[in-house]
Amino acid sequence: MATAIAIDGPAGAGKSTIARYAAKTLGFIYVDTGALYRAIGLAAQRRGYAGDDQAAVVPMLSEIKVELAFNEAHEQIVLLDGEDVSGLIRTPEISMMASAVSAIPEVRAYLLDLQRDMAHRNNVIMDGRDIGTVVLPDAQIKIFLSASPECRARRRYDELIEKGMDVKYEDILNDVIARDYADSHRDIAPLKPADDAIMVDTSGEDLETSVNKLVDLMRSRL
């Protein structure tokens, strides 16, 4: 029987980075569900649609193909109609588009089977906003990872600056706060901890400390 570990939490809490390292350490497959929503957000942007334009986005779903694949280094890549868009979906603008399209019920239904099928066939660490509450409610381990908005904004700012992008910390912080509100107040699958989730706060911790804490926690529960 496959084992599933669900990691939920707000944008910038370090879910993807920590889950990726933990999966590599434990020999699990890492599934970044947020990347799927980002790909749909990118598809909508390319068509000139607003992320919350349900009348435009829903018909688009039958026209696109979103997939997760793995390269030779076993790193996850995101394909949109066969194109590797892994780098294109990591901008603040696409983050907000992802948050908007994720509030559309048909978008969530479109991706639900894909996510569950991967967990059924593989030992996975899956991160997102509603993995423990909606996507994998029977996951053996559920973790809700958080950090202060200022800490998360600083991490994101440093990451984008390192990539050579021209961004301002204040803009990133405002985006983080706006996305927190949107994710936690949407009608469909709002961001919240599962009743049986383990709460973990990584504010002020470096990556190595956070990764080691989470891996030790997972091993103790497996």
Side-chain angles (χ1 to χ4, degrees):
M1 179 179 177
T3 298
I5 299 175
I7 302 181
D8 291 309
K15 300 185 303 297
S16 298
T17 303
I18 291 173
R20 187 181 299 110
Y21 277 93
K24 185 176 182 180
T25 300
L26 298 173
F28 280 37
I29 287 178
Y30 165 57
V31 182
D32 174 9
T33 62
L36 299 172
Y37 289 99
R38 287 171 177 270
I40 292 178
L42 176 63
Q45 183 203 53
R46 286 178 167 180
R47 287 164 170 77
Y49 302 155
D52 59 357
D53 187 348
Q54 187 169 355
V57 172
V58 171
M60 180 192 75
L61 298 176
S62 63
E63 304 168 0
I64 65 174
K65 185 175 184 180
V66 177
E67 301 170 278
L68 292 180
F70 297 88
N71 60 22
E72 294 180 355
H74 302 291
E75 297 169 335
Q76 177 183 280
I77 60 175
V78 186
L79 303 175
L80 174 59
D81 297 327
E83 175 191 355
D84 182 356
V85 296
S86 304
L88 298 176
I89 60 175
R90 297 300 174 182
T91 66
E93 183 179 5
I94 295 301
S95 292
M96 296 306 295
M97 287 290 289
S99 183
V101 300
S102 69
I104 299 175
E106 289 85 353
V107 171
R108 307 197 75 83
Y110 175 82
L111 295 176
L112 185 60
D113 288 343
L114 171 62
Q115 296 169 67
R116 285 180 172 170
D117 182 60
M118 293 194 72
H120 178 73
R121 292 184 290 108
N122 307 279
N123 292 328
V124 300
I125 297 181
M126 188 176 294
D127 77 330
R129 302 290 189 279
D130 63 345
I131 308 305
T133 54
V134 176
V135 179
L136 301 177
D138 296 325
Q140 287 86 340
I141 301 174
K142 301 175 187 176
I143 295 169
F144 193 87
L145 192 65
S146 65
S148 69
E150 292 78 12
C151 178
R152 290 183 280 128
R154 175 59 61 181
R155 291 172 182 170
R156 186 64 176 156
Y157 172 79
D158 291 342
E159 177 186 348
L160 295 175
I161 289 295
E162 187 175 340
K163 292 180 178 179
M165 299 183 66
D166 183 16
V167 294
K168 296 180 179 179
Y169 168 77
E170 292 77 13
D171 293 339
I172 300 296
L173 177 59
N174 290 335
D175 285 345
V176 166
I177 293 172
R179 184 159 190 193
D180 282 355
Y181 184 87
D183 287 346
S184 60
H185 287 78
R186 66 187 178 216
D187 293 331
I188 304 298
L191 170 67
K192 63 178 182 179
D195 291 338
D196 53 348
I198 303 164
M199 307 296 290
V200 178
D201 191 308
T202 65
S203 298
E205 294 181 352
D206 60 24
L207 175 60
E208 183 178 2
T209 300
S210 298
V211 169
N212 290 337
K213 176 194 291 188
L214 267 293
V215 170
D216 288 345
L217 173 60
M218 292 172 190
R219 281 177 167 156
S220 71
R221 300 287 176 129
L222 289 174

